[in-house]
Amino acid sequence: MTHTESSSQPMPPRRKFMRHALALAGSAQAATLATPAHSAPIGSALPAHQRNPGGTDTSYGQPATAEAAVVRTESKEAGFSVWRTPLQHQRGIITPGGLHFAVHHNGIPDIDPARHQLMLHGLVDRPLRLDWERLQRYPMVSKVHFLECAGNSAANALSPFAMDLPLGQLAGEVSCSEWTGIPLSLLMDEARPQPSAQWVIAEGADAGSHARSLPLQALRQHGMLALYQNGERLRPSQGYPMRLFVPGWEGNANVKWLHRLEFSDIPAHTKDESGLYTQVLSDGRIQRFALTMEVKSVITRPSGQQTLPSPRGHYEIEGLAWSGRGRIAHVEVSVDGGRSWTAAILHGPVLDRSFTRFTLPWQWQGQKAVLMSRATDEQGHTQPTRSTWKGRYAAHSFNHYNAIQAWAVDRDGRVENCYA
Ligand SMILES: Nc1nc2c(c(=O)[nH]1)N[C@H]1C(S)=C(S)[C@@H](COP(=O)(O)O)O[C@H]1N2
Ligand SMILES: [Mo]
């Protein structure tokens, strides 16, 4: 709510870098990473790919075959199909379309885009029915935003011991894309909601008709009917041919395969919004319609199940931070389990409700270390420790987990999830 940290703001990036580098490098000598080249001249034995013309391209590009391990991992949870982004492989803020996380409560519907329609109805003066031909004539906006499932990081919230998993499998229900679509205000104003309309019930065209009740004013102000993702039409997995997108709101509010917006004076209290998407607090109270995802960050390298390749030397700690409440103001990194913290370098663009990339140089001396990152957003919200987070919620609660992620580095360089 308040700006608690404003002192660390303007310092030129270069000076900032030097200060951090010296703080963490621990020695004055410059780090060298490259091995010296030996004396054989380049070109003395040309590889086959330089002697013969190469292969052909494909009509829709694919990643290099050697990158076959960079894939989403699937698990079934409570009957849902959950596909997680391998965040440990992502560099930069945009998640490739094929690696976007996905949660399907009842599979992916096979929708004919030529027949799909969106209806706005209920407490409106002018009910609307819109098809693709009509929708693509509206002005569109493009914005880079993260999307995160309310249940992301549930394993860390619930498991009494830290599960030894790669980052993607621990916290990969979050991705970031450029979304392009029609501001909902344009469609809503055309439908002319009546004064008594306070809620909008958004429903998807999948089996089970996933539906959420959303507060009308906030939805009108921030919501988008998303039609494109990273420059191409939505992937079937992301809601083709159209989805609701509200930056910063928990995943399930972003109804995929959207076909209906019903204006109402009261929320529908759909099954999932009265059960799964409520949070039970430690004092027994229940939080409903808590839609905003809180500030969070993860170190992507080094992270779970990676191994530092040599026993000591220069490393670049790297990660991603995001908040449903605005821009990331700063990220601090600790290499000693939270005893001391150093400001990381934020790499631009630092966008509203988007992934923000951060790095910090680190000189590892081969000792045991615990790496942590702690993000603060422009509203002054900071990530809690795991024990503070656990103290806030009932023991079985797992939604909206945003506690500090810790990685233990062993003497042999192996990195493992830990609670610190
Ligand atoms: N119609 C419909 N919309 C849906 C869902 C669904 O199962 N059906 N899953 C929701 C959940 S729980 C999440 S976290 C987000 C995930 O969006 P993504 O699959 O594009 O990442 O979609 C939401 N929208
Ligand atoms: Mo979700």
Side-chain angles (χ1 to χ4, degrees):
M1 280 126 228
T2 51
H3 286 261
T4 53
E5 315 267 352
S6 52
S7 53
S8 65
Q9 269 310 301
M11 186 187 274
R14 184 66 204 163
R15 261 189 65 203
K16 224 173 168 182
F17 176 83
M18 292 307 289
R19 193 186 61 169
H20 299 138
L22 289 175
L24 280 194
S27 88
Q29 93 209 42
T32 57
L33 289 171
T35 46
H38 59 79
S39 53
I42 289 172
S44 57
L46 281 177
H49 61 77
Q50 278 187 277
R51 282 183 272 113
N52 309 306
T56 57
D57 212 337
T58 52
S59 47
Y60 194 98
Q62 295 294 313
T65 46
E67 297 302 309
V70 183
V71 289
R72 304 186 295 179
T73 44
E74 190 195 12
S75 64
K76 301 264 186 211
E77 263 137 61
F80 300 176
S81 168
V82 180
W83 296 82
R84 293 182 172 85
T85 297
L87 288 173
Q88 66 274 24
H89 295 295
Q90 179 166 335
R91 267 196 170 146
I93 62 171
I94 300 294
T95 308
L99 296 177
H100 198 283
F101 90 95
V103 180
H104 314 305
H105 294 203
N106 291 285
I108 300 177
D110 182 14
I111 295 175
D112 176 357
R115 297 188 56 199
H116 184 85
Q117 293 187 332
L118 172 65
M119 185 162 73
L120 283 78
H121 69 121
L123 297 176
V124 292
D125 285 341
R126 227 175 135 248
L128 299 178
R129 232 178 226 283
L130 299 149
D131 59 11
W132 175 259
E133 188 275 319
R134 196 144 285 255
L135 284 168
Q136 58 166 327
R137 295 199 233 154
Y138 282 84
M140 295 190 201
V141 291
S142 293
K143 288 179 175 180
V144 173
H145 290 301
F146 77 88
L147 179 65
E148 183 178 20
C149 176
N152 190 24
S153 311
N156 275 352
L158 291 177
S159 173
F161 58 91
M163 291 175 78
D164 179 13
L165 289 169
L167 170 60
Q169 286 176 50
L170 281 170
E173 285 166 76
V174 62
S175 307
C176 187
S177 301
E178 183 198 45
W179 301 94
T180 300
I182 305 164
L184 270 189
S185 57
L186 292 181
L187 303 178
M188 284 192 179
D189 291 354
E190 221 176 297
R192 289 195 221 116
Q194 292 163 8
S196 59
Q198 297 297 319
W199 292 85
V200 178
I201 297 137
E203 188 187 81
D206 49 339
S209 303
H210 176 79
R212 283 284 341 230
S213 313
L214 302 165
L216 185 149
Q217 282 315 327
L219 188 66
R220 184 188 172 282
Q221 202 179 338
H222 304 291
M224 173 201 286
L225 179 69
L227 304 172
Y228 292 82
Q229 181 188 355
N230 298 337
E232 60 184 356
R233 292 283 295 270
L234 295 183
R235 299 276 170 120
S237 169
Q238 266 62 63
Y240 182 85
M242 61 194 67
R243 83 177 305 163
L244 188 60
F245 191 86
V246 193
W249 281 5
E250 59 184 25
N252 64 76
N254 297 266
V255 176
K256 303 192 277 191
W257 314 293
L258 184 73
H259 73 156
R260 199 161 78 80
L261 292 171
E262 181 181 343
F263 292 71
S264 166
D265 52 350
I266 50 166
H269 298 297
T270 63
K271 175 174 73 65
D272 285 342
E273 76 189 2
S274 355
L276 188 57
Y277 302 130
T278 61
Q279 282 73 246
V280 183
L281 304 179
S282 51
D283 62 6
R285 282 182 304 142
I286 288 172
Q287 232 175 19
R288 295 185 300 169
F289 303 106
L291 293 163
T292 304
M293 296 306 289
E294 301 293 342
V295 63
K296 191 162 168 177
S297 69
V298 286
I299 292 173
T300 53
R301 294 159 201 258
S303 64
Q305 296 189 357
Q306 294 175 350
T307 300
L308 301 181
S310 60
R312 52 190 65 224
H314 179 84
Y315 288 93
E316 183 95 328
I317 296 171
E318 171 171 0
L320 294 166
W322 62 96
S323 168
R325 298 191 186 277
R327 285 176 184 78
I328 291 298
H330 57 264
V331 178
E332 299 152 291
V333 168
S334 175
V335 298
D336 56 12
R339 275 191 295 280
S340 63
W341 296 88
T342 308
I345 299 150
L346 298 189
H347 295 262
V350 178
L351 300 170
D352 180 19
R353 290 165 289 184
S354 162
F355 274 179
T356 296
R357 187 171 164 259
F358 66 87
T359 61
L360 188 68
W362 177 45
Q363 194 76 26
W364 185 48
Q365 312 289 358
Q367 79 282 21
K368 279 191 170 197
V370 174
L371 311 183
M372 302 159 93
S373 63
R374 180 171 70 184
T376 301
D377 65 25
E378 62 181 344
Q379 288 195 24
H381 298 276
T382 300
Q383 288 182 262
T385 62
R386 183 171 184 275
S387 56
T388 302
W389 190 91
K390 289 293 285 180
R392 241 176 245 165
Y393 292 94
H396 66 277
S397 273
F398 59 86
N399 283 332
H400 292 255
Y401 183 85
N402 72 326
I404 293 166
Q405 168 70 50
W407 302 117
V409 182
D410 210 345
R411 285 200 185 81
D412 61 5
R414 192 175 188 277
V415 185
E416 190 174 326
N417 182 28
C418 77
Y419 297 157

